[in-house]
Amino acid sequence: MHFTEANFENAIIELFREQLGYDYVYGPEVARDYTEPIYMEQLRAAVQELNPSLSAAAIEEAITKIRTYEGGSLVQKNEQFTDYLQNGVAVNYFDGREQRSELVRLVDYDTPLRNYFTVANQWTVEERSVKRADIVVFVNGLPLVVVELKSPSRENTDVSEAYAQLRNYMQEIPSLFIYNAFCVMSDHAITKAGTITAGEDRFMAWKTVDGSMEDRSCAGFDVLFRGMFDKVRLVELIRNFLCFSKDGKQSAKILGAYHQFYAVRKAVLSTVEAARTDGKGGVFWHTQGSGKSFSMVFFSKLLQQAMSSPTIVVLTDRNDLDGQLYRQFARCEDFLRQKPVQAKSRAHLKELLAGREANGIFFTTMQKFEESDEPLSERRNIVVMADEAHRSQYGLEEKVKMVTMPDGTTRAKIIVGAARLVRNALPNATYIGFTGTPIALKDRSTREVFGDYIDVYDMTQSVEDGATRPVYYESRVINLKLDEATLRRIDDEYDAMAAEAEAYVIEKSKRELGRIDSILGADETIGSLCEDIVKHYEENRQYEQTGKAMIVAYSRPIAIKIYRRLLEMRPAWSGKLAVVMTSGNGDPEDWRPIIGNDARKKELEKAFKDDGGALKIVIVVDMWLTGFDVPSLATMYVYKPMAGHNLMQAIARVNRVFGDKQGGLVVDYVGIASALRKAMSDYTLRDRKNYGDPDVSKTAYPEFQKRLEVCRDLLHGFDYTAFFGKSDLERAKAISGGVDFLQAPEREEPKKLFVKEALLLRQALSLCQSLLNYEQRLEAAYFEAVRTLLTRIEGKGKMSLREINARINELLKQSIKSDGVINLFSDVEEEFSLFDPKFLEEISRMRERNFAVELLRKLIAEQVRIYQRTNTVRAEKFSEILSRAMSNYLKGLLTNEEVIQELLKIAHEIAHGKESDKALDLNDEELAFYDALTKPEAVRDFYTNEQLVAITRELTDALRRNKTIDWNLKESARAGMRRIVKRLLRKYDYPPEGQEDALSTIMKQCDMWSENS
């Protein structure tokens, strides 16, 4: 017996009732207006209880506002409702004597268990069409969560179908999603939550019930429900971990992930304790790309409640980072309930701090503290949030800096550590550090300022959770043909960077660095670099995701040189390539059109973030290397020595999640490998084990070789060497021949394994393609073409001959630069169609007989699926015939020739039925009931065809008039429908021996009618 979707639904309901203590209602049994998605009876009771001092007029005004939205998109309406949900509904009403203003609360956040928590299944909403959500979770009658489930035991449905269903609901019954906090999708194996603006790849698992680590690697379906829907936890999630990030006209709704929820709460507790004691709030280390900026936003919101409106100072060490982080907070200002402000100067910051005793979120840079050592404020309720809290300039101790004077003499100057200056300026503040990279073991000053780690979310966990993707490394230093002396000088720079805490070392090395600039900027070297980048990009990376790539140049002059050289080589790249870097007053005049002003940089940022836009490659020096997100960016070309956290932050630009992106690729031209290994030494033990050496030649390439060998073995016995020739026709035959070979009945298991292994081969190929020779790429392209065709033919959804050919041709163009046109079905000229006699004739002549069997099976199965939504008699009939024929074929009782004839017979019968239907002049609905009435063959002996058509029309009309929403889920309504059918059968003297069967079939058809209308 299968564990069906209904079984799974009941299991979830049981979990809510038995383990979480929710009330339960069965949707169809709730007497309500189906055009109203809210559970009105409960909403009214809850709002009155939560606001006992308010009049009925105030309550009614609030409920009217919740239910009424003037214009705007679904996201805009949801944003308005979220504000009501989190902050209450402001109402103005006349109490009989005067006009009054009040705030009506929808949820009790202070005493969460005072709220009503209800779970319902089969909750129907009627809008553009009638849809029934699997499970809806209500808080105080508000439908805050929609859960969509898919059967764990059906092969052709999975969690992606659940996501597609949720998107469909948003189109068909958008009013339900006005009130949505978040959605959950599950097929038992995978259970994830996300908001109405999230793509499928941004729905995330919740991997721990109570913040412990035990469920992190592979959480069961119940972990999310017990973790997120604990009553107290759900209320806190809604209040403090659900926000809109608004960028111009676009809004993204953000739901805190499990690692953010638990870590932010720990950080707040730590900060509150530190404010009472030593001022060291701790360090919050969550790996780059896992949502650190949003964690800082959530922290600021929760801290306002925990510390009674503290003033928050957000500290960074660079102007561009200050701007990026400020803009993120500004996009969330409605959630924060206050407007963040950037301090323009030290004096401005002092003014901002002096002008209030509480609240305020102010952004500033380290440099503003170097202007003076006088206190800016001595208040205790100030919390300093330092971004990337472990950089060298956060030191507490004084250092000596050797300075060359204008007269050539050298003097020692005492430099006070920037962290000391900040401490002096805000002596009574509490300090908390946020970082995407770990604190170095030898870094004592960071711990002295901030304390120890509050929470660690490492690279391994982030990749496991799907919050980020791994980063891989490919060395191409050798392609620049640099001599030993040059390579040694570059190594010297790494040594200087390794000692970057010693200011005098940096000062001493400046002249040496100038020489490196001249070496790396030499025309011949730049020429070699650009030739290799063009070759590598065009042959391996331009089709990877959206083709976005970043080139990191050593210096601004070198960035300009690279830009000009690339345009010389590829003039057509003028709209595809841009330089993003700071400008200076002394810049040459001819740089200005290339760099542009601040407005131009904002335009470039917008263009590079546009996945479908023309701008594909940017050249940067320092800008965009931290805090800049383009999820589809998959390739970084490094022509700048970097080390430590600067290196790790830079390469994290390519670790963001996007579609089926397997990881980011960092292509190295300056020998960063040892710096990368050294930087990893401060990461967690499992990070060092999993990502300590990300070289593609040692990771992806061996994986590619292994999968290639497996795919060869699985096709052993089939000669596909024709694919290696020049003829597109022979290549097409090799692809369809390979598919035919794998579709033999005795190769069912090898075929499944091939599909899995060929996918893993493609994933490895996407990272190590440049290491492969032409023959390896060609063979991998062949296996991917066979996999693609197999999955298209056997997979879900409608098949299109044109789409299959286009997909294969695009694949070959990308992988082996083939410009030929392959027609995989040279025998088939038209689109696939069971109702085209010419097509059926051509299928019968196909040389690949196993392939022909699968094509016919797929097309008939598609038609059966259509009947399963519209016509129960035909669905059962053709499903049974198809199953019998395929079963006999797979058991070896039918040859492929015999089964083709059986399938063609079914196809002809389906096509003939379509032709016969036209003569009856009945619509699809009526035809289904006609088939139900005439299922017993003997019935045709009792009536003429005209009589049967008349009975059908009367029956369909009577049932249609009595069909109400959810009638099939209410026993009384079902009984009423049965009475209508029985009356009509008796009226027309339907043969008594066939009445029970006819009644049963007609009721089945009515159920199908309701489920799919």
Side-chain angles (χ1 to χ4, degrees), residues 45-59 91 93 95 97 100-105 114:
V47 174
Q48 284 166 0
E49 281 183 33
L50 295 180
N51 302 274
S53 63
L54 298 185
S55 68
I59 302 290
V91 295
Y93 65 98
D95 68 354
R97 294 190 305 275
R100 300 194 60 164
S101 298
E102 298 285 359
L103 196 65
V104 179
R105 293 190 304 160
R114 278 190 69 205

Side-chain angles (χ1 to χ4, degrees), residues 218-271:
C218 184
F221 78 93
D222 61 317
V223 172
L224 180 140
F225 290 106
R226 290 191 296 127
M228 296 186 82
F229 291 94
D230 169 85
K231 292 176 181 178
V232 174
R233 211 171 287 132
L234 178 63
V235 167
E236 186 170 359
L237 263 173
I238 290 164
R239 184 187 195 184
N240 294 316
F241 293 88
L242 200 62
C243 79
F244 277 87
S245 176
K246 294 192 284 188
D247 192 359
K249 291 182 179 176
Q250 283 202 317
S251 285
K253 189 175 185 183
I254 308 300
L255 170 67
Y258 80 91
H259 64 276
Q260 294 171 310
F261 178 82
Y262 292 108
V264 164
R265 290 163 84 234
K266 282 199 274 183
V268 167
L269 289 174
S270 175
T271 305

Side-chain angles (χ1 to χ4, degrees), residues 715 718 733-744 747 751 754 782 785-791 793-794 824-825 848 850-852 854:
L715 276 173
F718 176 72
K733 287 178 180 175
I735 295 169
S736 50
V739 171
D740 185 64
F741 176 80
L742 287 167
Q743 283 179 323
R747 293 194 186 91
K751 178 181 68 178
F754 177 86
Y782 172 72
V786 172
R787 184 194 76 84
T788 299
L789 187 52
L790 271 172
T791 53
I793 296 295
E794 297 190 352
L824 286 167
F825 305 96
E848 297 86 0
N850 296 321
F851 197 173
E854 187 53 37

